[in-house]
Amino acid sequence: MSQERTEERLTGLPAGDGVAAEAPFYHEDAPQAFQRLWTPHRMVYIGGQNRPTDNTPDQCPFCTGPTRSDEEALIVHRGETSYVIMNLYPYNTGHLLVCPYRHISDWTEATAAEREEIGRLTATAMSVVRSVSHPHGFNLGMNQGEVAGAGIAAHLHQHIVPRWKGDANFMPIIGRTKPVPQLLGEQRDMLASAWTTGAQGPGD
């Protein structure tokens, strides 16, 4: 097989005229399902679609989420004071949020039990994601207030964002598109299954 045909077979892109086709980015050691390209376009959310119209619990997705089924709400795990849910507009594949059930906006408003469980669920979530998709690292954090970047400032939530070497390329910079190569429902099923089968690691 010619070099050009080999490049086309491996990448799905035509090659020739002295231009080599570049293979698409793939999360090393991640499941095959992570091959799909899904582009939710966070700009839709930033532009106002699906955002709460006020700060009340009735409008809060983190308050209404637990009233629905895990599959519908994309909930991975329910704890006593807090729960783990997929981010509907993820920064990266496998982006999770840990939220208290109570409608509070600031870390200082959380009880000792809520802080303990949020921390424990964060650590467990990292172990679960590592067992499922083998990221090279994580971004963890809370944005306190709209000025600090909180999309839902009225309800406290901890971000858990898996990271892989090379996962930030020209797509978000030039194309204004963030590739998330697996459907959220499939991610939820994989993570929830790993959570319940003990993949979270010892002590969790």
Side-chain angles (χ1 to χ4, degrees), residues 57-145:
D58 289 342
Q59 286 287 315
C60 177
F62 300 142
C63 288
T64 59
T67 66
R68 296 178 285 157
S69 70
D70 290 355
E71 291 77 12
E72 181 184 6
L74 299 175
I75 291 174
V76 172
H77 174 79
R78 295 177 189 251
E80 294 183 9
T81 70
S82 307
Y83 68 98
V84 183
I85 188 171
M86 303 292 302
N87 190 333
L88 188 58
Y89 299 92
Y91 300 145
N92 213 355
T93 304
H95 183 170
L96 296 174
L97 303 171
V98 181
C99 310
Y101 294 114
R102 288 199 308 134
H103 189 66
I104 57 175
S105 62
D106 197 270
W107 186 240
T108 61
E109 299 176 55
T111 65
E114 287 168 334
R115 291 176 190 163
E116 187 278 331
E117 187 167 37
I118 289 171
R120 180 166 48 83
L121 291 179
T122 297
T124 302
M126 291 174 64
S127 296
V128 168
V129 172
R130 281 195 175 114
S131 75
V132 170
S133 54
H134 311 288
H136 301 131
F138 290 88
N139 289 123
L140 306 176
M142 297 182 181
N143 299 321
Q144 300 281 261

Side-chain angles (χ1 to χ4, degrees), residues 130-193:
R130 281 195 175 114
S131 75
V132 170
S133 54
H134 311 288
H136 301 131
F138 290 88
N139 289 123
L140 306 176
M142 297 182 181
N143 299 321
Q144 300 281 261
E146 290 185 9
V147 69
I152 307 293
H155 198 124
L156 185 71
H157 53 283
Q158 163 92 305
H159 291 267
I160 304 165
V161 185
R163 298 299 306 272
W164 290 263
K165 293 177 183 177
D167 64 9
N169 56 20
F170 75 95
M171 290 292 282
I173 299 169
I174 305 295
R176 298 184 181 180
T177 299
K178 180 64 177 180
V180 180
Q182 187 183 40
L183 298 177
L184 288 178
E186 294 179 7
Q187 289 180 39
R188 192 220 73 86
D189 292 345
M190 293 174 68
L191 294 169
S193 176

Side-chain angles (χ1 to χ4, degrees), residues 8-79:
E8 185 171 351
R9 178 176 60 83
L10 292 175
T11 66
L13 301 173
D17 299 326
V19 178
E22 181 179 351
F25 176 76
Y26 176 70
H27 296 324
E28 185 178 351
D29 298 324
Q32 287 296 319
F34 277 55
Q35 291 292 327
R36 273 194 287 272
L37 179 67
W38 182 59
T39 53
H41 300 290
R42 285 184 56 84
M43 288 304 297
V44 173
Y45 177 77
I46 294 171
Q49 182 173 321
N50 296 334
R51 297 193 72 172
T53 57
D54 57 47
N55 292 330
T56 63
D58 289 342
Q59 286 287 315
C60 177
F62 300 142
C63 288
T64 59
T67 66
R68 296 178 285 157
S69 70
D70 290 355
E71 291 77 12
E72 181 184 6
L74 299 175
I75 291 174
V76 172
H77 174 79
R78 295 177 189 251

